[in-house]
């Protein structure tokens, strides 16, 4: 069964460093998403991406964040200058992009980002 | 702004018991609702999606309902098994958006 994959599974970085989290969505899916879950808190929406552009973003997704689809298979989240509060599990998701009503989102296993 | 709440936060039941997990949302603009399972340190596995025109959806031992007028969804698990132990999350999608708004989850433990 096709699945969303994410690399790395765990990333440790120093405050102020740039990180890039990578995702390979399910191959025929058209919508891509990033969510994050700070330890002990709810899963929060960051951004959705469709047709090579951001279709929606949350208040969390400020200028420190960017997303890119550099090729036909990868979808990346870049954090320019990491802060301690960026430490979280980051989930990538994808969906077929059909009608909103039937568009199930499928999640990857997550990347745990630790900022020291 | 949509707020999603799940009660109870944790639940422990003996194997074989039928159980109900509750999810409530504040904004009736919710379009559809998805239930997920999350195992410790793992990603989210989609269980069921209840479409806007549906009132319930079934998959095996799972049955989920959606009542927009009351702002509630329930996930019914029949004949629970130890393998059902996980955190169950509900997430709503508002009309015109693709972002999911998640509840904080119910941590379920099924005792053998």
């Amino acid at each position: 069964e096709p699945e969303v994959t994410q690399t790395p599974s765990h990333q440790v970085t120093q405050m102020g460093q740039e990180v890039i989290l990578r995702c390979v969505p399910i191959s025929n899916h058209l919508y891509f998403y990033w969510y994050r879950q700070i330890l002990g808190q709810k899963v929060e929406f960051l951004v959705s991406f469709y047709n090579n552009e951001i279709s929606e973003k949350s208040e969390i997704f400020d200028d420190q964040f960017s997303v890119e689809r550099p090729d036909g298979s990868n979808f990346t989240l870049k954090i320019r200058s990491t802060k301690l509060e960026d430490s979280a599990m980051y989930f990538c998701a994808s969906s077929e992009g059909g009608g909103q009503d039937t568009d199930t989102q499928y999640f990857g296993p997550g990347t745990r980002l630790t900022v020291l | 702004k949509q707020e999603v709440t799940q009660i109870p936060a944790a639940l422990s039941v003996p194997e074989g018991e039928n159980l109900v997990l509750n999810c409530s949302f504040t904004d009736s603009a919710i379009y559809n609702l998805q239930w997920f399972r999350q195992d410790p340190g793992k990603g989210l596995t989609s269980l069921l999606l209840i479409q806007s025109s549906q009132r319930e959806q079934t998959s095996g031992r799972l049955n989920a309902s959606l009542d927009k007028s009351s702002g509630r969804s329930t996930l019914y698990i029949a004949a629970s098994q130890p393998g059902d132990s996980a955190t169950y999350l509900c997430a709503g999608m508002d009309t015109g958006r693709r972002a999911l708004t998640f509840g904080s989850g119910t941590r379920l433990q099924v005792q053998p």
Side-chain angles (χ1 to χ4, degrees):
Chain A
E1 185 175 326
E3 55 186 24
V4 177
T5 60
Q6 291 185 243
T7 55
S9 57
H10 191 189
Q11 173 99 41
V12 181
T13 189
Q14 294 290 327
M15 190 168 55
Q17 295 296 305
E18 174 183 286
V19 294
I20 297 176
L21 309 183
R22 291 182 167 78
C23 167
V24 178
I26 295 173
S27 65
N28 63 335
H29 284 188
L30 300 179
Y31 263 95
F32 315 120
Y33 312 83
W34 285 101
Y35 291 82
R36 78 174 186 190
Q37 186 176 32
I38 295 170
L39 190 64
Q41 297 187 23
K42 294 181 179 183
V43 176
E44 302 173 289
F45 168 77
L46 294 178
V47 66
S48 62
F49 191 85
Y50 174 75
N51 200 24
N52 281 321
E53 62 183 24
I54 291 173
S55 58
E56 189 179 351
K57 61 183 181 179
S58 72
E59 299 160 348
I60 303 168
F61 194 88
D62 60 20
D63 292 344
Q64 290 289 91
F65 293 90
S66 63
V67 290
E68 190 178 29
R69 182 130 163 102
D71 54 44
S73 59
N74 290 284
F75 180 52
T76 62
L77 174 70
K78 182 193 290 186
I79 309 175
R80 271 182 251 292
S81 177
T82 50
K83 308 184 188 79
L84 294 176
E85 54 264 37
D86 293 327
S87 294
M89 182 75 94
Y90 287 80
F91 293 109
C92 175
S94 69
S95 64
E96 288 184 1
Q100 182 194 12
D101 205 13
T102 57
D103 208 27
T104 300
Q105 294 184 23
Y106 297 91
F107 283 68
T111 292
R112 179 165 298 286
L113 176 65
T114 301
V115 182
L116 302 176
Chain B
K1 183 183 173 186
Q2 184 72 260
E3 295 285 339
V4 179
T5 305
Q6 291 187 248
I7 295 173
L11 183 63
S12 181
V13 300
E15 183 177 1
E17 194 160 296
N18 301 325
L19 57 102
V20 175
L21 307 181
N22 296 294
C23 172
S24 62
F25 43 91
T26 55
D27 191 341
S28 59
I30 198 163
Y31 195 58
N32 59 29
L33 192 131
Q34 205 166 340
W35 280 92
F36 294 88
R37 169 188 172 132
Q38 184 176 29
D39 292 282
K42 301 286 179 62
L44 283 65
T45 301
S46 178
L47 298 173
L48 291 164
L49 181 146
I50 312 172
Q51 298 173 27
S52 61
S53 58
Q54 295 176 329
R55 292 188 64 84
E56 64 179 80
Q57 187 69 260
T58 298
S59 175
R61 293 183 293 109
L62 305 180
N63 176 276
S65 67
L66 176 62
D67 184 345
K68 293 184 182 181
S69 62
S70 67
R72 294 173 66 178
S73 176
T74 59
L75 179 66
Y76 174 82
I77 302 178
S80 58
Q81 302 170 357
D84 295 331
S85 298
T87 296
Y88 290 81
L89 301 170
C90 66
M93 183 184 291
D94 291 344
T95 303
R97 302 182 64 205
R98 295 269 175 168
L100 291 173
T101 301
F102 281 82
S104 51
T106 293
R107 191 171 65 254
L108 172 66
Q109 187 160 17
V110 181
Q111 309 285 356

